[in-house]
């Protein structure tokens, strides 16, 4: 079974539900984002529309997690990451809004991350 972690410590702006497919955080400069679970980075880039940077980690055939924010990630496609490994660092010099969106999807459908992450 996967060892799931919350990806960030920060103020939750909007939790899962009521049309939100994930969790929105407000992160302060100097904070970091970690992989919610072990897996393979299957996307790392900003080519999917908008100006935000997106990282997608595939954990199992059924599960993936997605991380969207305004700062470039530290991981590359094809890279294996461990649960809790830092994938994004918000440097103190970054000009970012600090808004971070996190999703977990099971078979393509967004689910409440709290169902998997207990700590």
């Amino acid at each position: 079974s996967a060892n799931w972690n919350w990806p960030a410590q920060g103020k939750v702006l909007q939790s899962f539900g009521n049309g939100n497919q994930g969790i929105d955080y407000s992160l302060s400069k100097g904070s970091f984002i970690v992989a919610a679970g072990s897996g393979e980075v299957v996307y790392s880039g900003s080519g999917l529309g908008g100006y935000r940077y997106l990282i997608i980690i595939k954990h199992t055939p059924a599960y993936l997690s997605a991380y969207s924010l305004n700062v470039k990630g530290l991981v590359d496609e094809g890279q294996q990451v461990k649960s809790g490994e830092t994938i994004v660092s918000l440097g103190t010099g970054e000009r970012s809004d600090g808004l971070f969106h996190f999703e977990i999807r099971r078979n393509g459908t967004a689910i409440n991350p709290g169902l998997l992450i207990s700590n």
Side-chain angles (χ1 to χ4, degrees):
S1 66
N3 175 24
W4 296 95
N5 289 289
W6 292 108
Q9 304 294 325
K11 181 184 178 202
V12 174
L13 296 176
Q14 190 176 0
S15 53
F16 181 86
N18 295 321
N20 192 21
Q21 296 197 308
I23 299 175
D24 293 307
Y25 292 88
S26 174
L27 300 182
S28 56
K29 294 180 193 298
S31 56
F32 54 89
I33 295 166
V34 304
S38 299
E40 180 184 350
V41 178
V42 293
Y43 186 83
S44 181
S46 51
L48 295 184
Y51 295 104
R52 299 177 72 74
Y53 197 90
L54 178 66
I55 295 170
I56 299 173
I57 299 172
K58 187 169 187 175
H59 304 284
T60 67
Y63 284 97
L64 59 80
S65 58
Y67 312 77
S68 169
L69 70 168
N70 271 348
V71 178
K72 187 177 187 302
L74 302 172
V75 293
D76 298 316
E77 289 171 25
Q79 184 174 334
Q80 297 289 329
V81 293
K82 292 185 171 65
S83 184
E85 183 175 332
T86 299
I87 59 172
V88 178
S89 177
L90 274 68
T92 51
E94 297 284 0
R95 287 175 46 184
S96 167
D97 58 10
L99 177 66
F100 163 52
H101 179 78
F102 168 65
E103 292 184 11
I104 293 178
R105 289 179 175 264
R106 181 175 59 210
N107 297 319
T109 301
I111 64 166
N112 184 348
L115 296 174
L116 294 175
I117 305 171
S118 56
N119 55 352

